[in-house]
């Protein structure tokens, strides 16, 4: 029995010397831990690696949650329809999380307003530009004048085609002149109640896609900052409106006509503007005393005149007269362009008749009314 036990011992001893020594029992114990630790260490290590990205993802999600419901940002503003003064007030409060547009990861944002449909420049308003921010605070109020109850029913700040819309666009100003469109939103004006301010906090959208290679009557927004356009067709609003005051003065013995302002006039010049002035003619009288005209306002589609004119006439004769009001674009060296007009008097209709009648009925009381300009045939302006 002893001879067979002898040879294995030297073999194990040789093996021990190759492995660096140790007893015959520990080697297997050393081998087992060498295999076991990886099996126990790997599973915890793997979950840790998976959990870390999840935490990072959650942090990213939280950082974009409030301001990147869309990637464009959100806009906070309020609207107020001042019924007594026929004006619409839009207060641009602030924007949050705007899409970065510049190489520094920021933007130079401003807001443009459009009352649609209509001539783009005549009803475009814009805020100041704020530099290097994705969270601008404007606190700036922009006002549209000449907004009537009828307009509030027909006009809209919403996405759509033919209905009247007020479009709010946020853009990034580029020092090289290529302003970029960030996003927009639209709101229906008929949802507003007169003399009650309504607050909005809306995510910006890139809602209107531009159709390629064809003309369209829908509103369009360009990624390179061009203004949304609309095919006006036979739009009643296209010529604009005028605010006129009438008062028969018993003390002076005559009619006082005030030309206050015009809004949303049609553009007659190549630069997209007009150089408007207003002419008055108390028909059917002839001669210089029957005609008046305002000063010329350069390069504007929303001129303020605030001028008054006096007609020496008996109150009893007013019923036989009509007041022709026409708005013209002044051109040097050639005939002036007719923009639009209206006629007040007993033979008129609607608001034009009502305004004249109220003037006759209420002596010494100034009565202001907005009137829509119409494209009627007129002789060349002198």
């Amino acid at each position: 029995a002893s001879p067979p036990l002898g040879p294995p011992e030297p073999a194990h001893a040789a093996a021990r010397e190759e492995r660096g020594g140790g007893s015959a029992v520990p080697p297997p114990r050393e081998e087992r831990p060498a295999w076991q630790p990886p099996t126990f260490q790997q599973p915890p290590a793997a979950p840790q690696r998976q959990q870390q990205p999840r935490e990072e993802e959650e942090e990213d999600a939280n950082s974009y949650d409030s301001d990147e419901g869309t990637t464009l940002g959100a806009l906070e503003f309020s609207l107020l329809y001042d019924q007594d003064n026929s004006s619409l007030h839009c207060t641009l409060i602030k924007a949050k999380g705007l899409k970065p547009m510049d190489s520094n990861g920021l933007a130079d944002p401003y807001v443009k307003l459009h009352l649609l449909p209509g001539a783009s420049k005549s009803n475009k308003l814009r805020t100041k530009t704020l530099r290097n921010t994705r969270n601008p605070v404007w606190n700036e109020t922009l006002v549209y004048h000449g907004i009537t109850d009828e307009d509030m029913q027909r006009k809209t700040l919403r996405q759509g085609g033919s209905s009247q819309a007020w479009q709010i666009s946020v853009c990034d100003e580029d020092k090289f002149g290529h302003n970029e469109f960030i996003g927009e939103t639209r709101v229906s004006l008929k949802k507003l109640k007169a003399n009650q301010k309504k607050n909005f906090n809306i995510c910006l959208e890139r809602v209107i896609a531009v159709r390629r290679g064809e003309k369209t009557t829908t509103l369009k927004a360009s990624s390179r900052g061009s203004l949304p356009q609309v095919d006006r067709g036979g739009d009643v609003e296209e010529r604009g409106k005028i605010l006129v005051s009438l008062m028969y003065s018993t003390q002076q013995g005559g009619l006082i006509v005030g030309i206050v302002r015009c809004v949303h006039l049609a553009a007659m010049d190549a630069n997209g503007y007009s150089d408007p002035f207003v002419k008055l003619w108390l028909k059917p009288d002839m001669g210089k005393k029957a005609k008046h005209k305002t000063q010329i306002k350069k390069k504007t589609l929303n001129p303020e005149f605030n001028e008054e004119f006096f007609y020496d006439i008996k109150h009893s004769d007013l019923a036989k007269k009509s007041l022709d009001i026409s708005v013209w674009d002044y051109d040097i060296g050639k005939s002036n362009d007719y923009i639009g007009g209206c006629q007040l008097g007993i033979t008129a209709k609607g608001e034009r008749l009502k305004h004249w009648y109220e003037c006759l009925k209420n002596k010494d009381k100034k009565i202001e009314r907005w009137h829509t300009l119409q494209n009627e045939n007129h002789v060349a302006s002198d």
Side-chain angles (χ1 to χ4, degrees):
S2 59
L5 295 173
E9 288 182 16
H12 288 302
R16 268 181 247 133
E17 288 175 5
E18 289 176 5
R19 291 170 188 156
S23 64
V25 179
R29 288 177 190 163
E30 290 175 4
E31 290 174 3
R32 281 173 197 146
W35 289 99
Q36 287 173 355
T39 58
F40 291 170
Q41 290 174 6
Q42 285 175 1
Q48 284 175 359
R49 289 184 192 125
Q50 290 174 356
Q51 287 173 0
Q52 286 173 354
R54 280 177 196 154
E55 289 174 4
E56 290 174 5
E57 287 173 6
E58 286 176 6
E59 287 177 7
D60 290 343
N62 290 335
S63 66
Y64 289 104
D65 181 54
S66 59
D67 57 18
E68 301 249 348
T70 69
T71 59
L72 305 176
L75 181 66
E76 186 177 340
F77 60 96
S78 67
L79 298 177
L80 171 66
Y81 170 46
D82 184 345
Q83 190 176 40
D84 295 336
N85 294 304
S86 301
S87 59
L88 187 59
H89 300 248
C90 180
T91 300
L92 286 311
I93 302 170
K94 63 183 178 180
K96 186 176 181 183
L98 293 180
K99 178 182 177 182
M101 304 298 288
D102 300 335
S103 58
N104 60 4
L106 301 173
D108 300 319
Y110 65 93
V111 181
K112 294 184 302 187
L113 302 183
H114 269 78
L115 200 57
L116 301 169
S120 61
K121 286 191 178 180
S122 70
N123 49 45
K124 180 190 76 172
L125 299 175
R126 63 162 285 175
T127 66
K128 60 192 175 188
T129 301
L130 298 181
R131 302 291 177 186
N132 296 322
T133 178
R134 292 177 57 209
N135 301 290
V137 179
W138 289 285
N139 286 323
E140 189 172 345
T141 300
L142 304 177
V143 182
Y144 278 106
H145 297 278
I147 304 299
T148 62
D149 291 344
E150 181 186 0
D151 293 328
M152 295 299 292
Q153 292 302 312
R154 296 191 308 106
K155 297 181 187 280
T156 302
L157 263 195
R158 66 168 176 76
Q159 115 184 37
S162 59
S163 62
Q164 194 63 322
W166 199 9
Q167 180 185 48
I168 305 177
S169 304
V170 181
C171 299
D172 172 60
E173 185 174 288
D174 190 332
K175 66 176 71 174
F176 300 108
H178 297 289
N179 296 342
E180 293 185 296
F181 175 82
I182 298 176
E184 68 175 31
T185 185
R186 306 180 192 189
V187 179
S188 173
L189 296 187
K190 63 184 177 183
K191 293 180 180 179
L192 298 180
K193 294 181 180 179
N195 306 315
Q196 291 185 22
K197 184 172 74 171
K198 187 170 183 179
N199 296 313
F200 297 84
N201 195 342
I202 302 177
C203 285
L204 296 172
E205 298 178 88
R206 195 180 289 274
V207 291
I208 302 299
V210 179
R211 297 180 187 176
R212 295 179 182 176
E214 64 176 86
K215 291 184 178 179
T216 174
T217 56
T218 56
L219 305 171
K220 299 190 283 189
S222 166
S223 61
R224 291 305 299 170
S226 61
L227 300 177
Q229 299 292 326
V230 62
D231 182 359
R232 288 173 287 163
D235 181 22
V236 177
E237 294 288 334
E238 185 178 353
R239 294 285 157 175
K241 290 183 177 180
I242 187 168
L243 180 57
V244 179
S245 69
L246 297 177
M247 184 181 77
Y248 186 83
S249 171
T250 54
Q251 184 177 0
Q252 298 181 53
L255 176 67
I256 301 174
V257 180
I259 302 300
V260 184
R261 71 193 309 158
C262 295
V263 295
H264 309 161
L265 294 180
M268 307 302 287
D269 296 338
N271 61 8
Y273 293 97
S274 292
D275 300 319
F277 67 97
V278 181
K279 293 177 62 181
L280 301 175
W281 180 10
L282 192 62
K283 293 182 175 180
D285 296 354
M286 302 299 291
K288 291 184 178 180
K289 290 185 177 181
K291 298 180 179 180
H292 295 288
K293 61 182 177 181
T294 68
Q295 294 180 342
I296 299 164
K297 300 296 180 180
K298 294 289 187 179
K299 197 180 177 182
T300 177
L301 300 176
N302 299 286
E304 288 189 56
F305 296 101
N306 293 315
E307 296 184 46
E308 289 188 338
F309 304 94
F310 180 75
Y311 286 100
D312 188 358
I313 186 174
K314 294 179 180 178
H315 183 268
S316 57
D317 291 339
L318 277 179
K320 307 169 190 175
K321 311 290 183 182
S322 61
L323 182 65
D324 185 86
I325 304 170
S326 57
V327 183
W328 299 80
D329 169 51
Y330 175 75
D331 286 323
I332 301 174
K334 57 180 181 178
S335 297
N336 298 323
D337 297 319
Y338 175 71
I339 296 177
C342 63
Q343 191 164 292
L344 312 182
I346 296 298
T347 57
K349 295 179 181 179
E351 285 296 317
R352 293 171 290 172
L353 170 61
K354 185 179 178 182
H355 194 185
W356 193 256
Y357 177 75
E358 288 180 351
C359 171
L360 297 181
K361 186 178 178 181
N362 301 283
K363 296 178 182 179
D364 298 314
K365 181 180 180 181
K366 181 186 288 189
I367 300 171
E368 286 189 351
R369 290 285 182 274
W370 284 97
H371 297 287
T372 300
L373 300 174
Q374 296 179 336
N375 188 10
E376 300 166 339
N377 292 326
H378 270 71
V379 295
S381 167
D382 30 72

